[in-house]
Amino acid sequence: MTDTWQVEPSEPLRGDIRVRGSKNAVTKHMVAAMLTGMPSTIRNAPEVGDVDITTAMLESIGYHVGRSGDEITVEPGTSVEPRVPEAFTGLNRIPILMLGPLLHRTGEAFVPLVGGDPIGRRPVDFHVSVLQALGAEVEVGPAGISARATRLHGARIDLPYPSVGATETVLLSAVLAEGKTVLRGAATEPEVVELALFLQRMGAHIELSPDRRIVIEGVPRLRGASTTLAGDRIEAFSYLVAGLITAGEVRVHGCPQDRLVTAITTLARMGAQFDITDDWIRASAPDALRPAAVHTDTHPGFMTDWQQPLMVLFTQADGMSVLHETVFENRLVYVPALQSMGCEIEVFRACLGGPACRFHDTNATHSAVIRGVSKLRGADVTLPDVRAGFSAVLAAAVADRPSTLRGIHHIERGYHRPFDQFTSLGLTLRRG
Ligand code: UD1
């Protein structure tokens, strides 16, 4: 299928969108299912490229992955292969999370170098330290990471930064380790908690304590479990913004309000009006949107994956806005693509719009000042990553002439059927 979309300037986008479980949760649940000899089922799974990649990885090492509608079943075959093939190098962030489960299953593991979006150095040093603390011998080589351990054992672990991935490595490795693991500095993102709940259903002993502390008492074995994923807060926010940017009105079903508290308040400060029920959230902006100063943060702060649609929304707000990215040092690399579409954005190394962050005395370009209201123009743009890709569609929707967006697989890696969702809201799109 073609990797390019032609996007026409849009009338106000209106309608209903149902979001499924998130890319950032479903793939981790699939890895958790590696920890038992029994089948596990994940429902409300999105149809996203990352599920296809993770499915292929699991099948390559001996798991059966069944898919039917929104349901994914993971079941081990007769033997589990400890090496994830190098063919999966650089495709996403999932292989690093497989190290712990593979060690439990086979005593050894190799995973190829991880990829994901080019939004910072994205090192894996925390993951490596976690596994070493739990007693694994780990070697980082040019092609990937090898690890070995006859049995992992509980440890006290302090994360230097509340990393989502490293917290997940602790969860996925400590649940079957011998003895108690105490993690301090844990990430508390909803997708992390969702994974912990799934592991608890599998029989894991996990305590989520205050102050970013997680205590895990290792158990000898886990059983299969099933769960229904909660709706994706990134998709929900992105489509609410799609309505606001085009002066339309989108109603998003399937994402609990408590996953969007900071997002809703931020948009409300800019002048958006919300109707919220137990089933759906609707945003509209009867008057011109106001500018804002926003810094991204760990949960429950303003999520770093929300800043790309917000950036385009800022270009349509009346005045100067400021965005300060504090989670990934290089997450503004997509700005040139938006500038080529007429977005008036200037980037800075200084910490603007919020407290000084970890990157304040580095060369990281991580703040932006955005002028609105800008007249956007259609352009031929190559998408750099999943979230930035979605924001380019939003810019194309409010541009003065058609745009050609290349690299649509980035969007399809993380958003459920985006072509159909956008079309249902009234955006005129053509593949090719
Ligand atoms: C996950 C999400 C991503 C989201 C991010 C933060 C997935 C697949 N991706 O990414 O969409 O934006 O959480 O909510 O779930 N770090 C290190 N060393 C490490 C690991 C991380 O220095 O070993 C740093 C990173 O460079 C970054 C920060 O920690 O600056 C946060 O990264 P992390 O929370 O680990 O993000 P991911 O799990 O990769």
Side-chain angles (χ1 to χ4, degrees):
M1 198 180 282
T2 168
D3 201 26
T4 302
W5 282 358
Q6 309 292 340
V7 183
E8 300 285 332
S10 177
E11 296 292 308
L13 295 179
R14 293 181 191 283
D16 292 77
I17 289 287
R18 175 165 293 281
V19 294
R20 291 209 189 165
S22 71
K23 142 181 144 7
N24 288 354
V26 64
T27 43
K28 324 295 177 61
H29 283 60
M30 293 170 78
V31 175
M34 293 170 64
L35 288 163
T36 164
M38 295 158 70
S40 292
T41 304
I42 305 148
R43 289 184 294 265
N44 199 27
E47 289 173 32
V48 294
D50 251 16
V51 165
D52 301 333
I53 297 168
T54 309
T55 297
M57 275 190 289
L58 286 172
E59 287 177 339
S60 76
I61 55 174
Y63 289 84
H64 299 302
V65 181
R67 286 167 71 180
S68 162
D70 73 350
E71 196 170 290
I72 297 176
T73 305
V74 181
E75 186 174 3
T78 41
S79 69
V80 173
E81 180 50 49
R83 290 183 68 86
V84 177
E86 281 177 42
F88 293 105
T89 300
L91 295 185
N92 67 13
R93 307 279 300 161
I94 300 307
I96 190 82
L97 299 175
M98 292 182 166
L99 281 170
L102 281 174
L103 286 175
H104 287 301
R105 296 305 305 250
T106 69
E108 54 177 322
F110 169 83
V111 299
L113 291 179
V114 293
D117 298 308
I119 54 178
R121 292 174 305 116
R122 299 201 85 170
V124 291
D125 52 330
F126 300 169
H127 299 255
V128 170
S129 306
V130 162
L131 290 163
Q132 287 170 331
L134 294 170
E137 280 173 44
V138 186
E139 209 178 299
V140 183
I145 301 176
S146 310
R148 199 172 275 281
T150 32
R151 179 88 207 261
L152 295 179
H153 48 76
R156 289 170 65 99
I157 298 171
D158 286 274
L159 287 180
Y161 183 80
S163 150
V164 167
T167 301
E168 290 165 343
T169 281
V170 174
L171 288 170
L172 292 163
S173 307
V175 283
L176 285 178
E178 190 174 5
K180 185 194 273 193
T181 296
V182 179
L183 170 63
R184 290 193 307 180
T188 58
E189 269 61 11
E191 297 79 13
V192 172
V193 174
E194 208 173 359
L195 177 66
L197 298 181
F198 186 55
L199 289 164
Q200 187 174 53
R201 271 184 205 197
M202 294 174 73
H205 291 181
I206 299 175
E207 241 176 79
L208 302 174
S209 309
D211 301 326
R212 296 190 175 280
R213 197 163 164 273
I214 298 181
V215 180
I216 302 160
E217 193 74 56
V219 295
R221 69 191 59 80
L222 295 172
R223 54 184 179 268
S226 64
T227 191
T228 302
L229 297 173
D232 186 342
R233 61 194 173 120
I234 305 173
E235 281 205 36
F237 178 79
S238 304
Y239 286 111
L240 289 171
V241 169
L244 293 173
I245 276 182
T246 56
E249 186 175 289
V250 172
R251 186 160 65 157
V252 173
H253 301 251
C255 180
Q257 178 189 356
D258 63 4
R259 297 194 150 204
L260 287 163
V261 178
T262 311
I264 291 169
T265 301
T266 301
L267 295 176
R269 274 198 200 113
M270 293 177 68
Q273 288 190 1
F274 282 87
D275 296 306
I276 304 174
T277 72
D278 293 343
D279 303 319
W280 49 258
I281 299 172
R282 180 169 55 205
S284 59
D287 303 314
L289 287 166
R290 294 185 288 275
V294 171
H295 73 278
T296 63
D297 211 337
T298 53
H299 188 72
F302 191 90
M303 192 187 188
T304 165
D305 301 68
W306 288 331
Q307 58 103 331
Q308 303 80 352
L310 183 73
M311 191 78 95
V312 185
L313 189 66
F314 279 162
T315 71
Q316 303 306 300
D318 194 5
M320 304 289 273
S321 293
V322 179
L323 193 289
H324 179 197
E325 168 62 47
T326 77
V327 179
F328 288 102
E329 76 271 38
N330 202 20
R331 210 162 197 180
L332 299 183
V333 280
Y334 68 95
V335 165
L338 293 184
Q339 286 165 330
S340 75
M341 301 179 81
C343 295
E344 295 174 78
I345 304 172
E346 254 190 86
V347 292
F348 298 87
R349 290 180 185 163
C351 296
L352 306 177
C357 75
R358 291 179 296 151
F359 311 132
H360 76 276
D361 55 1
T362 71
N363 287 320
T365 301
H366 67 292
S367 294
V369 174
I370 305 97
R371 182 203 300 274
V373 175
S374 294
K375 269 194 165 334
L376 304 194
R377 47 180 186 269
D380 188 325
V381 171
T382 299
L383 310 180
D385 71 57
V386 52
R387 307 301 168 201
F390 194 100
S391 71
V393 181
L394 299 184
V398 286
D400 61 350
R401 64 191 104 125
S403 298
T404 301
L405 305 183
R406 303 176 192 278
I408 291 300
H409 68 277
H410 285 297
I411 301 179
E412 290 173 335
R413 189 163 76 78
Y415 291 84
H416 173 74
R417 303 177 76 99
F419 188 94
D420 299 344
Q421 301 273 52
F422 272 121
T423 305
S424 78
L425 293 178
L427 188 62
T428 305
L429 293 170
R430 205 160 34 79
R431 293 186 198 274

